Amino acid sequence: MAARHSTHGGGRSSLTVLGIECSCDDTAVAIVRRNDDHTGTIRAARLATQIDRHRPYGGIVPEIAARRHIDILDPCIRTVLDLCQLKLSDLDGIAATAGPGLIGGLLVGLTTAKALALASDLPLLAINHLEAHALTVRLTDGVAFPYLLLLVSGGHCQLVIVHGVGRYQILGSTRDDAPGEAFDKAARLLGFEQPGGPMIERAAARGDPTRLDLPRPMLGHHGCDFSFSGLKTALRRHCESGRIATNADRDNAAAAFQAAIVDTLADRTEQAIQIFLADSAIIDSPTQPCLVAAGGVAANGIIRQRLSTLARRHGMIFIVPSPDLCTDNGAMVAWAGLERLHCGAYDALDAVARPRWPLSDLTPPVAQ
Ligand code: KG4
Ligand code: ZN
């Protein structure tokens, strides 16, 4: 089905979009405005996490997640509209994550967005979750293209040169686990609750990383690929050997695990920095080159510190959104929608939900 909104988006500078994120276990919505000067303003945001409902099962149960999204998405949308004192007809578009993610949740979010778009004759924006993470720094800090991005989340790990909306040059990816997944598995091994990343970070602050020697997979290897499964296996062997007897042992293991992840991320990012800084577009650019981090794992304070030091050493600025905008949120989806809508692009109402949807499959927005 074709959408009918040729007057929306392209050519107008101030635009307001509702963003819906239901790709995993968080129901998140936000209303974001793109201002005349190209900055963004988060007008209202709501996030409802379901983590308690999944805890008894030791992981996210897709069916429970989808049902919960159905229950709470509508009230969340109502709340953000009320907070901004806006009606649907005051908006310029409805954006929802269409992938990658759990198919049940994606269908709930995308179908809701389609219904709202159809009912209020607004353009639909079917957003790639990874693109939403990748563009968040343009909402928070107005970062100009191109920039080097380390995207680290529960399901993804990539080093990317972001040349523009829909223009992603992938320099490296993980060959197995994503770092968030590794943090979550390590937390399970050590008996911490989920999500594991924040728990490991807290425990690591109490521990001594030098009490346990864990491998740093891919360290010093050519290229920008990552691997985390060997690190996780080494931690599992350590746990199975019975050497975690006290809380202090647990904290030391958490600290050693986090240090291994940080070293690996920094080493791989340094390889990518060398490629990025040799790019002719960067050499010719009058502005200082920029390293950006995004995704849930970029909420980690030690990772942020290390990347900041690394960037400075290479004459780059380091920019990372606040922790609540690194983890999944509705504002990033609304903003990705705004970036596309500003170019006059939007999606047809038969846009499909895509459980797998790599960044490399995206294309730049085309005005309709
Ligand atoms: O981006 P995100 O919210 O969801 C995905 O798109 O995957 O990332 C979630 C991941 C989880 O694996 C979580 O453990 C990790 O981000 N995470 C952290 C921290 N906060 C969240 N990892 C390390 N340190 C943190 N402070
Ligand atoms: Zn995410």
Side-chain angles (χ1 to χ4, degrees), residues 21 23 129-130 133 151 153-156 295-296 326-329 332:
E21 158 59 40
S23 68
H129 182 89
L130 305 173
H133 276 305
L151 174 50
S153 70
H156 296 90
C326 285
T327 49
D328 291 349
N329 62 87
M332 69 181 196

Side-chain angles (χ1 to χ4, degrees), residues 16 25 33 37 69-70 72 76 80 85 94 101 128 138 152 157 205 212-213 242 261 268 281 290 333:
T16 301
D25 62 332
R33 187 178 61 221
D37 63 358
H69 289 309
I70 291 176
I72 55 175
C76 286
V80 291
Q85 298 185 305
I94 311 283
N128 179 293
R138 291 173 49 78
V152 273
C157 184
L212 169 61
D213 193 20
I261 297 247
R268 308 286 73 206
C290 189
V333 177

Side-chain angles (χ1 to χ4, degrees), residues 57-286:
Y57 306 96
I60 292 158
V61 184
E63 178 69 18
I64 294 176
R67 284 170 187 271
R68 186 64 185 154
H69 289 309
I70 291 176
D71 289 344
I72 55 175
L73 181 54
D74 284 359
C76 286
I77 293 171
R78 180 80 270 154
T79 304
V80 291
L81 284 167
D82 288 349
L83 283 169
C84 301
Q85 298 185 305
L86 289 177
K87 300 185 294 299
L88 280 174
S89 55
D90 297 324
L91 301 175
D92 297 293
I94 311 283
T97 301
L102 300 173
I103 187 68
L106 293 174
L107 285 171
V108 174
L110 187 59
T111 308
T112 302
K114 286 178 181 182
L116 295 176
L118 184 63
S120 36
D121 195 24
L122 290 171
L124 168 75
L125 298 133
I127 298 300
N128 179 293
H129 182 89
L130 305 173
E131 174 162 81
H133 276 305
L135 299 177
T136 304
V137 282
R138 291 173 49 78
L139 161 65
T140 57
D141 294 84
V143 176
F145 300 122
Y147 51 88
L148 177 63
L149 167 73
L150 172 67
L151 174 50
V152 273
S153 70
H156 296 90
C157 184
Q158 291 191 315
L159 279 157
V160 184
I161 300 180
V162 182
H163 291 284
V165 179
R167 295 180 59 215
Y168 304 101
Q169 181 187 345
I170 313 294
L171 301 180
S173 300
T174 182
R175 295 183 177 179
D176 40 59
D177 295 347
E181 193 179 355
F183 269 113
D184 294 341
K185 287 178 179 167
R188 239 170 253 135
L189 284 170
L190 294 171
F192 293 116
E193 288 187 339
Q194 298 295 314
M199 299 304 288
I200 296 272
E201 183 176 10
R202 236 168 280 151
R206 300 185 295 258
D208 175 357
T210 64
R211 302 296 287 270
L212 169 61
D213 193 20
L214 290 172
R216 270 93 172 127
M218 309 293 290
L219 207 77
H221 279 224
H222 181 70
C224 304
D225 279 352
F226 303 80
S227 164
F228 295 100
S229 67
L231 170 60
K232 176 194 65 194
T233 306
L235 181 68
R236 180 161 50 74
R237 290 220 183 89
H238 180 75
C239 294
E240 287 168 357
S241 73
R243 275 175 288 170
I244 303 219
T246 64
N247 282 342
D249 294 337
R250 243 177 25 144
D251 293 347
N252 292 340
F257 183 83
Q258 180 176 268
I261 297 247
V262 174
D263 284 351
T264 307
L265 292 179
D267 178 79
R268 308 286 73 206
T269 305
E270 191 155 24
Q271 296 274 333
I273 286 176
Q274 271 146 21
I275 296 169
F276 181 67
L277 294 180
D279 190 305
S280 58
I282 304 306
I283 293 169
D284 296 340
S285 168

